[in-house]
Amino acid sequence: MLRPRKKRDMGGIPTSSMSDVAFLLLIFFLSTTKFDMKYGLGLVLPAPSTEETVKVRLKEDNLTRVMIDREGRIAVNDDIVPFEEVRDKIRSLVKDNPDMVISLKTDRQSNYNNMIIVLDQLRLAGAEKINLSTN
Amino acid sequence: MAKIKKAARPQAEIPTASMSDIAFLLLIFFIVSTVFVKGKVIKVALPRAESIDKIPRSHAATLYVDRAGNITIDDYSIQIPQIENVMIKKLYEDFNLITCFRTDREVSYGVMADIMNQLRKANALRVSFEAKRKL
């Protein structure tokens, strides 16, 4: 006797939610990827001094000397100024004379960090003409 | 009167079967193209500053100076007197080169002054002191 065989159920993997899974992973990677950005304090160094370069003599009034010693003490025009007051002092100087050149002189033994935090303050105070030097 | 049956309009449908393919393609693209920043061998504790700008990566040449004063550029350890020649070569390749200092904050400023003198000699005048955003 012949009995019609029951058709076997084809086992299938449901693929309808595959795109959901893929997009979930995609969004996860998109949102967690962090691009490595570089941030810094930009500055343009003066050109090397050769015989051809003309030395520009700055007027004393147009020059502010900021000095950092090896202990990290800061002096503005030979007066020791606490770090917190540097910005306001420089801001008022730059405001009075927009041509003001700030000469930042750092002791060779001083920490690089001291120079950077003062340079940061100078920039925040609106100083545009900054010159770096050392002893 | 016999009614004329309107032809059933074909239903417009967006085929979604290949959606997962697209998603996976994007996913695989991002996975493959992501480059993880390698754990830098040179340990540098960057200073923190507020007035920081973004440095265009395409023109940046990063100069590492670690706490011990070792100078590294492009994975090559170099001495201060060699910097001039290296930078001349780099400047030749990219006129708009910006030298990024990734300097440890504990480094003494004298090292940095010497490096900057070398940069001036090489005419690589655009520099940037890399810093982290102040919290």
Side-chain angles (χ1 to χ4, degrees), chain A residues 19 22 26 36 38-48 106-108 110-113 115-116 120 123 132 134, chain B residues 23 47 49-51 53-55 57 62 103-110 112-114 120 125 127-131:
Chain A
S19 69
L26 180 63
D36 188 32
K38 282 161 109 68
Y39 292 98
L41 302 128
L43 201 74
V44 178
L45 299 175
T106 316
D107 191 285
R108 286 186 72 89
S110 185
N111 268 352
Y112 169 68
N113 192 45
M115 189 278 270
I116 289 296
D120 187 34
R123 284 164 55 104
L132 301 179
T134 188
Chain B
E50 282 173 66
S51 65
D53 321 307
K54 215 152 113 185
I55 305 166
R57 200 167 258 282
T62 311
T103 307
D104 195 283
R105 54 182 113 147
E106 301 296 326
V107 169
S108 63
Y109 184 70
M112 292 300 289
D114 293 342
R120 284 182 62 196
L125 301 179
V127 295
S128 188
F129 304 102
E130 268 192 58

Side-chain angles (χ1 to χ4, degrees), chain A residues 65-69 71-84 86 104 114 117-118 121-122:
Chain A
R65 289 195 177 83
V66 181
M67 285 189 241
I68 309 167
D69 74 356
E71 270 95 49
R73 282 178 301 206
I74 304 154
V76 179
N77 285 335
D78 298 331
D79 301 323
I80 288 190
V81 174
F83 174 73
E84 296 77 27
V86 171
L104 179 61
N114 294 333
I117 56 173
V118 176
Q121 293 300 315
L122 298 184

Side-chain angles (χ1 to χ4, degrees), chain A residues 3-9:
Chain A
R3 217 194 294 162
R5 264 207 197 155
K6 238 192 194 172
K7 246 195 182 169
R8 262 226 214 140
D9 242 7

Side-chain angles (χ1 to χ4, degrees), chain A residues 18-19 21-22 25, chain B residues 19-29:
Chain A
M18 195 72 118
S19 69
V21 175
L25 284 168
Chain B
M19 194 74 114
S20 69
D21 298 340
I22 296 167
F24 270 115
L25 194 84
L26 282 169
L27 180 64
I28 288 162
F29 169 74

Side-chain angles (χ1 to χ4, degrees), chain B residues 54-74:
Chain B
K54 215 152 113 185
I55 305 166
R57 200 167 258 282
S58 49
H59 296 303
T62 311
L63 216 148
Y64 288 84
V65 185
D66 72 359
R67 195 164 289 204
N70 300 315
I71 303 157
T72 311
I73 186 159
D74 288 345

